[in-house]
Amino acid sequence: MTQQHSGWWRDAVIYQVYPRSFADGNGDGMGDLAGIRSRLPYLRDLGVDAVWLSPFYASPQADGGYDVADYRAIDPMFGTLPDAEALVHDAHDLGLRVIVDVVPNHSSDQHEWFKRALKEGPGSALRERYHFLPGKGADGELPPNDWESIFGGPAWTRVTDPDGQPGDWYLHLFAPEQPDLNWEHPAVADEFRSILRFWLDLGVDGFRVDVAHGLVKAEGLPDIGGDGDQLKLLGNDVMPFFDQDGVHEIYRSWRRILDEYPGERIAVAEAWTPTVERTAHYVRPDELHQAFNFQYLGTHWDAAELRGVIDVSLGAMRPVGAPATWVLSNHDVTRHATRFANPAGLGTQLRAAGDRELGLRRARAATLLMLALPGSAYLYQGEELGLPDVTDLPDEVRQDPSFWRASGQDGFRDGCRVPIPWTVEGESYGFGAGGSWLPQPEGWGELSVAAQTGDPDSTLELYRGALAVRRAHPALGAGDAVSWLEAPEGVLAFERPGGFVCTANTTDQDVRIPVAGRQLLGTDQVLVEDGEAVLPPDSTVWWGV
Ligand code: NOJ
């Protein structure tokens, strides 16, 4: 049975499953709900509190399922609605909660509304549910404004009307197959309230809200202007299509729905905002429960930077009473074992493998540091195996639409989506009986669950150990108190209530510090000499005091 402690989400460790790549139950090379269901005991044993499933809805898969054609149906490649119900039921029986993705910013171009909007032509009432506008220029041959798609190229596509003539343009902040919905239209808001209820009635414990910051566009869809690269502005400025104040009214209405249901159903915002302070707006007491901390995800393995972002994050959440969240990897960024294997500053979309051993050491240390922080932590499937990104996928197997739209200059998200290895040998290393939709690298089996289970030095056992300590000592994730202790340059040391100290050495040298207590868990066994502990390079230790 699901545990009923109140505020369960405040310190929950939530594991992201990318359904295409987790486990394949029917042997077609593509992960599915049956596969996930069969591996739920693994997640229970890992020690996570909840599972977040990326989209499994009916979809042409132009963007890995983030292009939804029917929000109430399961894509046949993933299974059926009864499979989803059974999965939620089994998870609850194992004490795991289930969060599903909801994708409200855009639908698929194969959604019934959009198909009819095109077919019925200009004047169709369905067109008002999207952003259809006439083009500029003498013959409407230019897009209505200068917005660019996040995936590259213009954010507008011109349609051909039923009479064969070029017609209006429609807005798509992502791929052309993902037309943006018009949230000013009451039917759109009504439809999503009904979709939330559909999944809540089925028993899910909450939602991860895709592009939560994008639903409302600035009045009149004004040009951005300037001659720079719009995507560069994204991180720093409030854009006319992101983080508009109007989005918050939507989340207030969603919160009222979530609160009607028993068992503390939650929502977590995927909201890319210029500052953590603006992220905090999404988690005010009458809005959503959590928001991903992408500033943390983007931080380098550097003590001063990490301390800064931890303080800023806790400080921003405190006034609104929401827990901080922490995340190092997800299905949109290069895995952190590969980010940390490369020089700082290369960003979160990498094609370079870097120094794998170094990357893994730092990734393990970064994870242990993250799991000592108060609040909720998100793990991405495979990081518990220390998986690197697959940086050498041949271009012809890539499916990330941004790779293709940006002419191969960007969009390496397939590298973190390669199906994960369960067994040392065998067909697709135990992913399934019928191969794997993206090729797995040679030797992937050595990183498998089977290879690491029972090996005390493995990354998998490190995660299991850390999550077991977190469960046994609820104080570790609770509250928002982090007391910094004096430490040499490049080392982080902080105390948490309940008698815990965490030390992290981010340098490439041994560093000696006074012994902080009894070693509970660490990325390395730490030598103690003359009352001093010798912290190895790129290591984290939890101490009991
Ligand atoms: C964010 C999702 O995480 C990403 O995978 C997707 O491409 C975009 N939103 C568009 O839905």
Side-chain angles (χ1 to χ4, degrees):
M1 286 299 291
T2 309
Q3 291 161 17
Q4 289 303 329
H5 89 260
S6 121
W8 67 269
W9 43 278
R10 291 190 162 271
D11 59 354
V13 177
I14 302 177
Y15 183 101
Q16 181 189 357
V17 165
Y18 192 66
R20 298 165 71 100
S21 307
F22 188 63
D24 173 14
N26 67 357
D28 65 355
M30 182 64 72
D32 50 35
L33 297 183
I36 300 169
R37 220 180 134 195
S38 73
R39 297 292 186 182
L40 288 173
Y42 165 78
L43 297 177
R44 188 253 337 257
D45 295 345
L46 181 61
V48 299
D49 301 293
V51 185
W52 148 36
L53 302 170
S54 280
F56 44 66
Y57 311 111
S59 161
Q61 303 287 318
D63 182 22
Y66 282 95
D67 48 318
V68 181
D70 183 344
Y71 290 86
R72 297 180 185 79
I74 309 292
D75 198 282
M77 76 164 53
F78 296 125
T80 62
L81 208 50
D83 289 336
E85 273 183 293
L87 194 164
V88 171
H89 183 269
D90 284 5
H92 287 170
D93 271 353
L94 292 169
L96 294 166
R97 288 186 160 84
V98 180
I99 290 170
V100 296
D101 233 294
V102 60
V103 189
N105 179 67
H106 44 263
S107 73
S108 158
D109 64 348
Q110 296 307 305
H111 189 283
E112 215 35 52
W113 287 0
F114 194 78
K115 285 201 296 192
R116 277 179 53 201
L118 287 194
K119 198 163 145 230
E120 291 172 10
S124 160
L126 270 309
R127 290 198 174 197
E128 290 162 20
R129 298 182 188 188
Y130 295 91
H131 296 277
F132 276 87
L133 282 180
K136 289 186 174 159
D139 298 310
E141 73 281 10
L142 299 171
N145 72 18
D146 65 357
W147 296 0
E148 286 170 14
S149 151
I150 311 299
F151 289 163
W156 296 89
T157 290
R158 192 172 196 184
V159 302
T160 303
D161 280 335
D163 63 5
Q165 293 305 305
D168 285 344
W169 298 69
Y170 69 89
L171 175 68
H172 51 86
L173 292 181
F174 295 89
E177 296 87 352
Q178 294 167 295
D180 277 54
L181 287 157
N182 174 11
W183 273 83
E184 306 295 331
H185 196 294
V188 172
D190 282 350
E191 173 66 353
F192 275 90
R193 283 193 287 261
S194 154
I195 291 165
L196 294 185
R197 288 184 188 285
F198 178 85
W199 290 101
L200 290 167
D201 289 338
L202 186 134
V204 305
D205 299 282
F207 301 94
R208 176 264 190 192
V209 185
D210 189 63
V211 199
H213 53 314
L215 277 46
V216 172
K217 277 73 180 173
E219 173 120 33
L221 311 187
D223 278 338
I224 292 165
D227 50 9
D229 176 352
Q230 281 182 18
L231 297 187
K232 288 225 175 75
L233 298 174
L234 269 182
N236 309 312
D237 287 317
V238 175
M239 307 296 274
F241 46 77
F242 277 165
D243 201 23
Q244 298 292 308
D245 290 340
V247 293
H248 297 290
E249 198 45 50
I250 298 168
Y251 300 128
R252 283 191 272 272
S253 90
W254 286 22
R255 179 60 179 257
R256 289 194 290 274
I257 294 175
L258 292 166
D259 285 349
E260 281 173 27
Y261 284 79
E264 288 187 85
R265 316 290 177 102
I266 68 153
V268 49
E270 188 221 15
W272 295 83
T273 64
T275 62
V276 195
E277 286 74 19
R278 286 196 70 91
T279 307
H281 294 167
Y282 291 76
V283 290
R284 288 177 285 204
D286 58 349
E287 297 195 36
L288 306 180
H289 298 72
Q290 298 182 343
F292 291 118
N293 188 344
F294 293 123
Q295 278 83 2
Y296 188 73
L297 187 150
T299 304
H300 304 126
W301 181 236
D302 174 278
E305 273 190 51
L306 285 162
R307 180 170 170 165
V309 74
I310 291 168
D311 280 341
V312 166
S313 306
L314 292 168
M317 295 300 143
R318 207 164 278 136
V320 292
T325 67
W326 313 102
V327 60
L328 289 165
S329 280
N330 65 32
H331 66 294
D332 287 332
V333 297
T334 303
R335 286 181 177 279
H336 61 282
T338 297
R339 293 205 310 277
F340 295 148
N342 279 284
L346 282 187
T348 53
Q349 296 267 313
L350 301 182
R351 211 175 187 178
D355 177 342
R356 269 184 64 172
E357 206 187 309
L358 176 70
L360 181 58
R361 285 189 61 75
R362 290 178 169 175
R364 288 161 53 95
T367 297
L368 218 52
L369 167 66
M370 172 174 89
L371 292 175
L373 295 171
S376 181
Y378 280 81
L379 308 179
Y380 175 54
Q381 67 179 37
E383 69 168 80
E384 77 278 19
L385 305 175
L387 293 187
D389 235 59
V390 181
T391 48
D392 57 358
L393 285 171
D395 287 356
E396 62 275 14
V397 305
R398 290 184 183 274
Q399 298 203 9
D400 182 350
S402 60
F403 177 79
W404 297 106
R405 281 182 65 84
S407 328
Q409 297 308 303
D410 203 349
F412 302 121
R413 297 182 303 171
D414 292 307
C416 63
R417 299 175 179 178
V418 173
I420 66 172
W422 293 90
T423 56
V424 180
E425 306 210 345
E427 182 67 33
S428 65
Y429 304 107
F431 166 67
S436 129
W437 68 279
L438 279 174
Q440 299 160 301
E442 285 280 300
W444 207 226
E446 283 153 33
L447 299 171
S448 65
V449 172
Q452 298 196 35
T453 295
D455 172 358
D457 296 331
S458 71
T459 301
L460 177 57
E461 295 299 348
L462 180 72
Y463 272 71
R464 286 180 173 153
L467 294 174
V469 174
R470 237 182 112 105
R471 284 197 154 219
H473 303 277
L476 202 47
D480 64 359
V482 167
S483 318
W484 296 105
L485 305 173
E486 222 170 288
E489 203 180 321
V491 173
L492 291 172
F494 57 90
E495 189 163 2
R496 301 289 334 285
F500 291 97
V501 166
C502 175
T503 57
N505 177 7
T506 67
T507 75
D508 58 3
Q509 306 287 325
D510 282 352
V511 177
R512 301 174 86 89
I513 58 162
V515 171
R518 184 172 45 91
Q519 283 178 58
L520 288 178
L521 191 80
T523 52
D524 301 73
Q525 188 63 34
V526 166
L527 255 184
V528 175
E529 285 172 356
D530 307 328
E532 285 192 323
V534 187
L535 305 179
D538 301 312
S539 65
T540 297
V541 182
W542 289 2
W543 308 85
V545 291

